[in-house]
Coordinates of all heavy atoms in Angstrom, one line a residue:
M1138 N -20.7 7.2 -15.4 CA -20.7 6.4 -14.2 C -19.7 6.8 -13.3 O -18.5 7.1 -13.6 CB -20.4 4.9 -14.6 CG -20.5 3.9 -13.4 SD -20.8 2.4 -14.0 CE -19.3 1.6 -13.6
I1139 N -20.1 7.1 -12.0 CA -19.2 7.5 -10.9 C -18.6 6.3 -10.2 O -19.4 5.4 -9.8 CB -19.8 8.4 -10.0 CG1 -20.3 9.7 -10.7 CG2 -19.0 8.8 -8.8 CD1 -21.2 10.6 -9.8
R1140 N -17.3 6.2 -10.1 CA -16.6 5.2 -9.4 C -16.2 5.7 -8.0 O -15.7 6.7 -7.9 CB -15.4 4.6 -10.1 CG -15.8 4.0 -11.3 CD -14.6 3.6 -12.1 NE -13.7 2.9 -11.1 CZ -12.8 2.0 -11.4 NH1 -12.8 1.5 -12.7 NH2 -12.0 1.4 -10.5
T1141 N -16.4 4.8 -7.0 CA -15.9 5.1 -5.7 C -14.8 4.2 -5.3 O -15.0 3.0 -5.4 CB -17.1 5.2 -4.6 OG1 -17.6 3.8 -4.6 CG2 -18.1 6.1 -4.9
A1142 N -13.7 4.6 -4.9 CA -12.7 3.8 -4.4 C -12.7 3.4 -3.0 O -13.1 4.3 -2.1 CB -11.2 4.4 -4.7
A1143 N -12.4 2.2 -2.5 CA -12.5 1.9 -1.1 C -11.4 2.7 -0.5 O -10.2 2.6 -0.9 CB -12.3 0.4 -1.1
E1144 N -11.7 3.1 0.7 CA -10.6 3.8 1.6 C -9.8 2.8 2.1 O -10.1 1.7 2.5 CB -11.4 4.6 2.7 CG -12.0 5.8 2.3 CD -11.1 6.9 1.8 OE1 -10.1 7.1 2.6 OE2 -11.3 7.5 0.8
P1145 N -8.4 3.2 2.2 CA -7.5 2.3 2.9 C -8.0 1.9 4.3 O -8.6 2.8 4.9 CB -6.2 3.1 2.8 CG -6.5 4.2 2.0 CD -7.9 4.4 1.9
R1146 N -7.6 0.9 4.7 CA -8.0 0.4 6.1 C -7.0 -0.4 6.8 O -6.3 -1.2 6.1 CB -9.3 -0.2 6.2 CG -9.5 -1.5 5.5 CD -11.1 -1.9 5.5 NE -11.1 -3.3 5.1 CZ -11.1 -3.7 3.7 NH1 -10.7 -2.8 2.9 NH2 -11.2 -4.9 3.5
V1147 N -6.9 -0.3 8.1 CA -5.9 -1.1 8.9 C -6.5 -2.6 9.0 O -7.7 -2.6 9.3 CB -5.7 -0.5 10.2 CG1 -4.8 -1.3 11.0 CG2 -5.0 0.9 10.0
A1148 N -5.8 -3.4 8.7 CA -6.1 -5.0 8.8 C -5.1 -5.6 9.7 O -4.2 -4.9 10.1 CB -6.2 -5.6 7.4
E1149 N -5.3 -6.8 10.0 CA -4.4 -7.5 11.0 C -3.1 -7.6 10.4 O -2.1 -7.5 11.2 CB -5.0 -8.9 11.3 CG -4.2 -9.7 12.2 CD -4.9 -11.0 12.6 OE1 -6.1 -11.1 12.6 OE2 -4.2 -12.0 12.8
E1150 N -3.0 -7.8 9.0 CA -1.6 -8.0 8.6 C -0.9 -6.6 8.0 O 0.2 -6.7 7.6 CB -1.7 -8.8 7.3 CG -2.4 -10.2 7.5 CD -3.9 -10.1 7.5 OE1 -4.5 -9.0 7.0 OE2 -4.6 -11.0 8.0
G1151 N -1.7 -5.4 8.0 CA -1.1 -4.3 7.6 C -2.2 -3.3 7.1 O -3.3 -3.3 7.8
V1152 N -2.0 -2.5 6.1 CA -3.1 -1.7 5.5 C -3.4 -2.1 4.1 O -2.7 -2.3 3.3 CB -2.6 -0.2 5.5 CG1 -3.5 0.8 4.8 CG2 -2.1 0.3 6.8
T1153 N -4.7 -2.3 3.9 CA -5.3 -2.6 2.7 C -5.7 -1.4 1.8 O -6.1 -0.5 2.5 CB -6.5 -3.7 2.8 OG1 -7.5 -3.0 3.5 CG2 -6.1 -4.9 3.4
F1154 N -5.6 -1.6 0.5 CA -5.8 -0.5 -0.3 C -6.2 -1.1 -1.7 O -5.8 -2.2 -2.0 CB -4.8 0.6 -0.2 CG -3.4 0.2 -0.8 CD1 -3.1 0.4 -2.1 CD2 -2.6 -0.5 0.0 CE1 -1.9 0.0 -2.6 CE2 -1.3 -0.8 -0.6 CZ -1.0 -0.6 -1.8
T1155 N -6.6 -0.1 -2.6 CA -6.9 -0.5 -4.0 C -6.1 0.5 -4.8 O -6.2 1.7 -4.6 CB -8.5 -0.4 -4.2 OG1 -9.1 -1.2 -3.3 CG2 -8.7 -0.9 -5.7
V1156 N -5.6 -0.1 -6.0 CA -5.0 0.7 -7.0 C -5.7 0.3 -8.3 O -6.1 -0.7 -8.5 CB -3.4 0.5 -7.1 CG1 -2.6 1.0 -6.1 CG2 -3.1 -1.0 -7.5
E1157 N -5.7 1.4 -9.1 CA -6.3 1.2 -10.6 C -5.3 1.1 -11.6 O -4.3 2.0 -11.6 CB -7.3 2.3 -10.8 CG -8.0 2.1 -12.2 CD -9.0 3.1 -12.5 OE1 -9.4 3.9 -11.6 OE2 -9.3 3.2 -13.7
V1158 N -5.1 0.1 -12.4 CA -4.2 -0.1 -13.4 C -5.0 -0.5 -14.7 O -5.6 -1.6 -14.7 CB -3.1 -1.0 -13.0 CG1 -2.2 -1.2 -14.2 CG2 -2.4 -0.7 -11.8
G1159 N -4.9 0.2 -15.8 CA -5.6 -0.2 -16.9 C -7.1 -0.3 -16.8 O -7.6 -1.3 -17.3
F1160 N -7.6 0.5 -16.0 CA -9.1 0.5 -15.8 C -9.6 -0.7 -15.1 O -10.8 -1.0 -14.9 CB -10.0 0.5 -17.1 CG -9.6 1.7 -18.0 CD1 -8.9 1.6 -19.1 CD2 -10.1 3.0 -17.6 CE1 -8.6 2.8 -20.0 CE2 -9.7 4.1 -18.4 CZ -9.1 3.9 -19.6
A1161 N -8.6 -1.4 -14.3 CA -9.1 -2.5 -13.4 C -8.5 -2.1 -12.1 O -7.3 -1.7 -11.9 CB -8.3 -3.8 -14.0
D1162 N -9.2 -2.5 -11.1 CA -8.9 -2.3 -9.6 C -8.2 -3.5 -9.1 O -8.6 -4.7 -9.5 CB -10.1 -2.1 -8.7 CG -10.7 -0.7 -9.1 OD1 -10.0 0.1 -9.7 OD2 -11.8 -0.4 -8.7
R1163 N -7.3 -3.3 -8.3 CA -6.5 -4.5 -7.8 C -6.4 -4.3 -6.3 O -5.9 -3.3 -5.8 CB -5.0 -4.6 -8.5 CG -4.3 -5.7 -8.0 CD -4.6 -7.0 -8.6 NE -3.8 -8.0 -8.1 CZ -2.7 -8.5 -8.6 NH1 -2.3 -8.0 -9.7 NH2 -2.1 -9.5 -8.1
E1164 N -6.8 -5.2 -5.4 CA -6.6 -5.1 -4.0 C -5.2 -5.4 -3.6 O -4.4 -6.3 -4.2 CB -7.6 -6.2 -3.5 CG -9.0 -6.0 -3.6 CD -9.4 -4.7 -3.0 OE1 -9.1 -4.3 -1.8 OE2 -10.2 -3.9 -3.5
C1165 N -4.7 -4.4 -2.8 CA -3.3 -4.7 -2.3 C -3.1 -4.6 -0.7 O -4.1 -4.1 -0.1 CB -2.5 -3.5 -3.0 SG -2.4 -3.4 -4.7
L1166 N -2.2 -5.1 -0.2 CA -1.9 -4.9 1.2 C -0.4 -4.5 1.4 O 0.4 -5.3 0.9 CB -2.1 -6.3 1.9 CG -1.7 -6.4 3.3 CD1 -2.7 -5.9 4.2 CD2 -1.3 -7.9 3.7
V1167 N -0.1 -3.5 2.1 CA 1.2 -3.2 2.4 C 1.4 -3.7 3.8 O 0.6 -3.5 4.9 CB 1.6 -1.7 2.3 CG1 0.6 -0.8 3.2 CG2 3.0 -1.4 2.6
S1168 N 2.3 -4.7 4.0 CA 2.4 -5.4 5.3 C 3.0 -4.5 6.4 O 3.5 -3.5 6.2 CB 3.5 -6.5 5.0 OG 4.8 -6.0 4.9
K1169 N 2.6 -4.9 7.6 CA 3.1 -4.2 8.9 C 4.6 -4.2 8.8 O 5.2 -3.1 9.3 CB 2.6 -5.0 10.0 CG 1.2 -4.8 10.3 CD 0.7 -5.4 11.7 CE -0.8 -5.1 11.9 NZ -1.0 -5.7 13.2
N1170 N 5.3 -5.1 8.4 CA 6.7 -5.1 8.2 C 7.2 -4.1 7.3 O 8.2 -3.4 7.7 CB 7.3 -6.5 7.7 CG 8.7 -6.8 8.0 OD1 9.3 -6.1 8.8 ND2 9.4 -7.7 7.2
A1171 N 6.6 -3.9 6.2 CA 6.9 -2.9 5.3 C 6.7 -1.4 5.8 O 7.6 -0.6 5.7 CB 6.2 -3.0 3.9
L1172 N 5.6 -1.4 6.5 CA 5.2 0.0 7.2 C 6.2 0.3 8.3 O 6.5 1.5 8.4 CB 3.8 0.0 7.7 CG 2.7 -0.2 6.6 CD1 1.3 -0.5 7.1 CD2 2.6 1.1 5.8
A1173 N 6.5 -0.7 9.1 CA 7.7 -0.5 10.0 C 9.0 0.0 9.5 O 9.6 0.9 10.0 CB 7.8 -1.7 10.9
H1174 N 9.3 -0.6 8.3 CA 10.6 -0.2 7.5 C 10.5 1.3 7.2 O 11.4 2.1 7.3 CB 10.8 -1.1 6.4 CG 12.0 -0.6 5.5 ND1 13.2 -0.8 5.9 CD2 11.9 -0.1 4.4 CE1 14.0 -0.4 4.8 NE2 13.1 0.2 3.9
L1175 N 9.3 1.6 6.5 CA 9.1 3.0 6.0 C 9.0 4.0 7.3 O 9.6 5.0 7.2 CB 7.8 3.0 5.3 CG 7.8 2.3 3.9 CD1 6.4 2.2 3.4 CD2 8.8 3.0 3.0
R1176 N 8.5 3.6 8.4 CA 8.4 4.5 9.5 C 9.8 4.7 10.0 O 10.2 5.9 10.4 CB 7.5 3.7 10.6 CG 7.5 4.7 11.8 CD 6.5 4.1 12.9 NE 6.9 2.7 13.2 CZ 6.1 1.8 13.6 NH1 4.7 2.0 13.6 NH2 6.6 0.6 13.9
R1177 N 10.8 3.7 10.1 CA 12.1 3.9 10.5 C 12.8 4.9 9.6 O 13.7 5.6 9.9 CB 12.8 2.5 10.6 CG 12.5 1.7 11.8 CD 13.4 0.5 12.0 NE 13.3 -0.4 10.8 CZ 12.5 -1.3 10.7 NH1 11.5 -1.6 11.6 NH2 12.5 -2.2 9.6
M1178 N 12.5 4.8 8.3 CA 13.2 5.7 7.3 C 12.9 7.2 7.6 O 13.6 8.0 7.5 CB 12.7 5.4 5.9 CG 13.3 4.1 5.3 SD 12.7 3.7 3.8 CE 12.7 5.1 2.8
K1179 N 11.6 7.3 8.1 CA 11.1 8.7 8.4 C 11.6 9.1 9.8 O 11.6 10.3 10.2 CB 9.7 8.9 8.3 CG 9.1 10.3 8.3 CD 8.1 10.3 7.3 CE 7.5 11.9 7.2 NZ 7.5 12.3 5.9
G1180 N 11.8 8.1 10.8 CA 12.3 8.4 12.0 C 11.3 8.9 13.0 O 11.6 9.7 13.9
G1181 N 10.0 8.6 12.8 CA 8.9 9.1 13.6 C 8.2 8.0 14.4 O 8.5 6.8 14.4
Q1182 N 7.2 8.4 15.3 CA 6.4 7.6 16.0 C 5.1 7.6 15.4 O 4.1 7.8 16.2 CB 6.4 8.1 17.5 CG 7.8 8.1 18.2 CD 8.2 6.5 18.3 OE1 7.4 5.7 18.5 NE2 9.5 6.4 18.3
M1183 N 4.9 7.2 14.2 CA 3.5 7.3 13.5 C 2.9 5.9 13.6 O 3.7 4.8 13.8 CB 3.7 7.5 12.1 CG 4.3 8.9 11.7 SD 4.4 9.2 9.9 CE 5.9 8.2 9.6
D1184 N 1.5 5.7 13.7 CA 1.0 4.5 13.7 C 0.8 4.0 12.2 O 1.4 4.6 11.3 CB -0.4 4.6 14.3 CG -1.4 5.4 13.5 OD1 -1.3 5.6 12.3 OD2 -2.4 5.9 14.2
F1185 N 0.4 2.7 11.9 CA 0.4 2.3 10.7 C -0.3 3.1 9.6 O 0.2 3.2 8.4 CB -0.1 0.8 10.6 CG 0.8 -0.2 11.3 CD1 0.3 -0.9 12.4 CD2 2.1 -0.4 10.8 CE1 1.1 -1.8 12.9 CE2 2.9 -1.1 11.5 CZ 2.5 -2.0 12.6
M1186 N -1.5 3.6 9.9 CA -2.2 4.4 8.9 C -1.4 5.8 8.7 O -1.4 6.2 7.5 CB -3.7 4.7 9.4 CG -4.4 5.4 8.4 SD -4.7 4.6 6.8 CE -5.8 3.3 7.2
E1187 N -1.0 6.4 9.7 CA -0.1 7.6 9.5 C 1.0 7.3 8.5 O 1.3 8.1 7.6 CB 0.2 8.2 10.8 CG -0.7 8.8 11.7 CD -0.3 9.1 13.1 OE1 0.7 8.5 13.6 OE2 -0.9 10.0 13.5
T1188 N 1.7 6.2 8.8 CA 2.8 5.8 7.9 C 2.3 5.5 6.5 O 3.0 6.0 5.4 CB 3.6 4.5 8.4 OG1 4.0 4.8 9.7 CG2 4.9 4.2 7.7
Y1189 N 1.3 4.9 6.4 CA 0.7 4.7 5.1 C 0.4 6.0 4.3 O 0.8 6.2 3.2 CB -0.6 3.9 5.1 CG -1.3 3.8 3.8 CD1 -1.0 2.8 2.8 CD2 -2.4 4.7 3.5 CE1 -1.6 2.8 1.7 CE2 -3.0 4.6 2.2 CZ -2.6 3.7 1.4 OH -3.3 3.6 0.2
R1190 N -0.2 6.9 4.9 CA -0.5 8.2 4.4 C 0.7 9.1 4.0 O 0.7 9.6 2.9 CB -1.4 9.1 5.3 CG -2.8 8.5 5.6 CD -3.6 8.7 4.3 NE -5.1 8.3 4.6 CZ -5.9 7.9 3.7 NH1 -5.5 8.0 2.4 NH2 -7.1 7.5 4.1
A1191 N 1.8 9.0 4.8 CA 3.0 9.7 4.6 C 3.7 9.1 3.4 O 4.4 9.8 2.7 CB 3.9 9.7 5.8
F1192 N 3.6 7.8 3.1 CA 4.2 7.2 1.9 C 3.3 6.6 0.9 O 3.7 5.9 0.1 CB 5.1 6.1 2.6 CG 6.3 6.4 3.4 CD1 6.3 6.6 4.7 CD2 7.4 6.7 2.8 CE1 7.3 6.9 5.5 CE2 8.6 7.1 3.4 CZ 8.5 7.2 4.8
E1193 N 2.1 7.2 0.9 CA 1.0 6.8 0.1 C 1.5 6.7 -1.5 O 1.2 5.8 -2.2 CB -0.3 7.5 0.2 CG -1.4 7.0 -0.5 CD -2.7 7.5 0.0 OE1 -2.7 8.6 0.7 OE2 -3.7 7.2 -0.5
D1194 N 2.0 7.8 -1.8 CA 2.4 7.9 -3.3 C 3.4 6.8 -3.6 O 3.3 6.2 -4.7 CB 2.9 9.3 -3.8 CG 1.9 10.4 -3.7 OD1 0.6 10.1 -3.7 OD2 2.2 11.5 -3.5
Q1195 N 4.4 6.7 -2.9 CA 5.4 5.6 -3.1 C 4.8 4.3 -3.0 O 5.2 3.4 -3.8 CB 6.6 5.8 -2.0 CG 7.7 4.9 -2.2 CD 8.8 5.1 -1.2 OE1 8.7 6.0 -0.4 NE2 9.7 4.1 -1.3
I1196 N 4.0 3.9 -2.0 CA 3.4 2.6 -1.9 C 2.5 2.3 -3.1 O 2.6 1.2 -3.7 CB 2.5 2.6 -0.6 CG1 3.4 2.6 0.6 CG2 1.6 1.4 -0.6 CD1 2.7 2.9 1.8
H1197 N 1.8 3.3 -3.6 CA 0.9 3.1 -4.7 C 1.8 2.9 -6.0 O 1.4 2.1 -6.9 CB -0.1 4.3 -4.9 CG -1.3 4.2 -4.0 ND1 -2.5 4.2 -4.5 CD2 -1.4 4.1 -2.8 CE1 -3.4 4.0 -3.5 NE2 -2.7 4.0 -2.3
S1198 N 2.8 3.7 -6.1 CA 3.7 3.5 -7.2 C 4.3 2.0 -7.4 O 4.3 1.5 -8.4 CB 4.9 4.5 -7.2 OG 5.8 4.3 -8.3
V1199 N 4.7 1.6 -6.2 CA 5.3 0.3 -6.1 C 4.1 -0.8 -6.5 O 4.4 -1.7 -7.3 CB 5.9 -0.1 -4.8 CG1 6.1 -1.6 -4.6 CG2 7.1 0.8 -4.5
A1200 N 3.0 -0.6 -6.0 CA 1.9 -1.5 -6.3 C 1.5 -1.6 -7.8 O 1.3 -2.6 -8.3 CB 0.6 -1.1 -5.5
R1201 N 1.5 -0.4 -8.4 CA 1.1 -0.3 -9.8 C 2.2 -0.9 -10.7 O 1.9 -1.7 -11.6 CB 1.0 1.1 -10.2 CG -0.2 1.8 -9.7 CD -0.4 3.2 -10.4 NE -1.6 3.8 -9.9 CZ -1.4 4.7 -8.8 NH1 -0.2 5.0 -8.4 NH2 -2.6 5.2 -8.3
R1202 N 3.5 -0.8 -10.3 CA 4.5 -1.4 -11.0 C 4.5 -3.0 -10.8 O 4.7 -3.6 -11.8 CB 5.9 -1.0 -10.5 CG 6.2 0.3 -11.2 CD 7.6 0.9 -10.8 NE 7.5 1.4 -9.4 CZ 8.4 1.6 -8.5 NH1 9.6 1.3 -8.8 NH2 8.2 2.1 -7.3
L1203 N 4.2 -3.5 -9.7 CA 4.1 -4.9 -9.5 C 2.8 -5.4 -10.3 O 2.9 -6.5 -10.9 CB 3.8 -5.2 -8.0 CG 5.0 -4.9 -7.1 CD1 4.7 -5.2 -5.7 CD2 6.2 -5.8 -7.5
V1204 N 1.7 -4.8 -10.4 CA 0.6 -5.2 -11.2 C 1.0 -5.2 -12.6 O 0.6 -6.3 -13.3 CB -0.6 -4.2 -10.9 CG1 -1.7 -4.6 -12.0 CG2 -1.2 -4.3 -9.6
V1205 N 1.7 -4.3 -13.2 CA 2.2 -4.2 -14.6 C 3.0 -5.4 -14.9 O 3.0 -6.0 -16.0 CB 2.7 -2.8 -15.0 CG1 3.4 -2.9 -16.3 CG2 1.6 -1.8 -14.9
A1206 N 3.9 -5.7 -13.9 CA 4.9 -6.7 -14.1 C 4.3 -8.1 -14.0 O 4.9 -9.2 -14.2 CB 5.9 -6.6 -13.0
G1207 N 3.0 -8.2 -13.7 CA 2.3 -9.5 -13.6 C 2.4 -10.3 -12.2 O 2.2 -11.4 -12.3
V1208 N 2.8 -9.7 -11.2 CA 3.0 -10.2 -9.9 C 1.6 -10.7 -9.4 O 0.5 -9.9 -9.5 CB 3.6 -9.4 -8.9 CG1 3.6 -10.0 -7.5 CG2 4.9 -9.0 -9.3
S1209 N 1.4 -12.0 -9.0 CA 0.0 -12.5 -8.6 C -0.1 -12.4 -7.1 O 0.8 -12.1 -6.4 CB -0.1 -14.0 -9.1 OG 0.8 -14.7 -8.4
G1210 N -1.4 -12.7 -6.7 CA -1.8 -12.8 -5.4 C -3.0 -11.8 -5.2 O -3.1 -10.8 -5.8
S1211 N -3.8 -12.3 -4.3 CA -5.0 -11.5 -4.0 C -5.3 -11.7 -2.5 O -5.6 -12.7 -2.0 CB -6.2 -12.3 -4.7 OG -7.3 -11.4 -4.5
P1212 N -4.9 -10.6 -1.9 CA -4.5 -9.3 -2.3 C -3.0 -9.4 -2.7 O -2.2 -10.2 -2.2 CB -4.7 -8.2 -1.1 CG -4.5 -9.1 0.1 CD -5.1 -10.6 -0.3
L1213 N -2.5 -8.5 -3.5 CA -1.1 -8.3 -3.9 C -0.4 -7.7 -2.6 O -0.8 -6.6 -2.0 CB -1.0 -7.4 -5.0 CG 0.4 -7.0 -5.4 CD1 1.1 -8.1 -5.9 CD2 0.4 -5.9 -6.4
V1214 N 0.5 -8.5 -2.0 CA 1.2 -8.2 -0.8 C 2.5 -7.5 -1.1 O 3.4 -8.0 -1.9 CB 1.5 -9.3 0.1 CG1 2.2 -8.9 1.4 CG2 0.1 -10.0 0.4
L1215 N 2.7 -6.2 -0.5 CA 3.9 -5.5 -0.6 C 4.7 -5.6 0.6 O 4.3 -5.1 1.7 CB 3.5 -4.0 -0.9 CG 3.1 -3.6 -2.2 CD1 1.7 -4.1 -2.5 CD2 3.1 -2.1 -2.3
G1216 N 5.8 -6.3 0.7 CA 6.7 -6.4 1.8 C 7.7 -5.4 1.9 O 7.9 -4.6 1.0
A1217 N 8.5 -5.5 2.9 CA 9.6 -4.4 3.2 C 10.5 -4.5 1.9 O 11.2 -3.5 1.7 CB 10.2 -4.7 4.4
A1218 N 10.8 -5.6 1.4 CA 11.8 -5.8 0.3 C 11.6 -4.9 -0.8 O 12.5 -4.5 -1.5 CB 12.0 -7.2 -0.1
Y1219 N 10.3 -4.6 -1.0 CA 10.0 -3.6 -2.2 C 10.4 -2.2 -1.9 O 10.3 -1.4 -2.9 CB 8.6 -3.7 -2.5 CG 8.1 -5.1 -3.1 CD1 7.3 -5.9 -2.4 CD2 8.6 -5.6 -4.3 CE1 6.8 -7.1 -3.0 CE2 8.3 -6.7 -4.8 CZ 7.5 -7.5 -4.2 OH 7.0 -8.7 -4.7
F1220 N 10.7 -1.9 -0.8 CA 11.1 -0.4 -0.3 C 12.4 -0.2 0.1 O 12.8 0.7 0.8 CB 10.0 0.0 0.8 CG 8.7 -0.1 0.3 CD1 7.8 -1.2 0.6 CD2 8.0 0.9 -0.4 CE1 6.5 -1.4 0.2 CE2 6.6 0.7 -0.8 CZ 6.0 -0.3 -0.4
V1221 N 13.3 -1.2 -0.2 CA 14.7 -1.0 0.2 C 15.3 -0.3 -0.9 O 15.2 -0.2 -2.0 CB 15.4 -2.4 0.3 CG1 16.9 -2.2 0.7 CG2 14.7 -3.2 1.5

């Protein structure tokens, strides 16, 4: 069976994406506040999707750790505090 992952997309609150943990998909949202924090760390003039792409591995790593830790929420919201 071939699985297709939903592409990340810009939403009103930030960028939504899906991570797979233990054969289960989890909907996540990295907030605009978190993306602005990450953009400042890089020092560029990127839009939200460009920032998401530049930090995608780090964002997905944080999301997976939160899922494993049992953090609830649908979608699972990643705020700036997770990237300090």
Side-chain angles (χ1 to χ4, degrees):
M1138 181 160 115
I1139 298 174
R1140 293 179 43 153
T1141 57
E1144 283 294 314
R1146 64 187 189 284
V1147 176
E1149 187 175 323
E1150 304 86 14
V1152 174
T1153 60
F1154 62 98
T1155 303
V1156 294
E1157 182 180 339
V1158 179
F1160 302 107
D1162 290 341
R1163 183 77 183 269
E1164 293 295 319
C1165 301
L1166 169 84
V1167 59
S1168 71
K1169 286 184 177 180
N1170 195 20
L1172 291 166
H1174 171 74
L1175 292 169
R1176 181 176 56 211
R1177 283 191 300 275
M1178 287 175 42
K1179 192 139 183 132
Q1182 293 294 327
M1183 299 181 285
D1184 66 23
F1185 289 123
M1186 186 56 77
E1187 289 171 331
T1188 303
Y1189 170 83
R1190 292 289 185 201
F1192 290 93
E1193 187 169 7
D1194 290 341
Q1195 183 179 352
I1196 291 167
H1197 281 237
S1198 176
V1199 168
R1201 284 187 192 96
R1202 282 183 279 160
L1203 293 173
V1204 170
V1205 169
V1208 176
S1209 62
S1211 184
L1213 176 62
V1214 178
L1215 284 68
Y1219 292 118
F1220 300 97
V1221 175

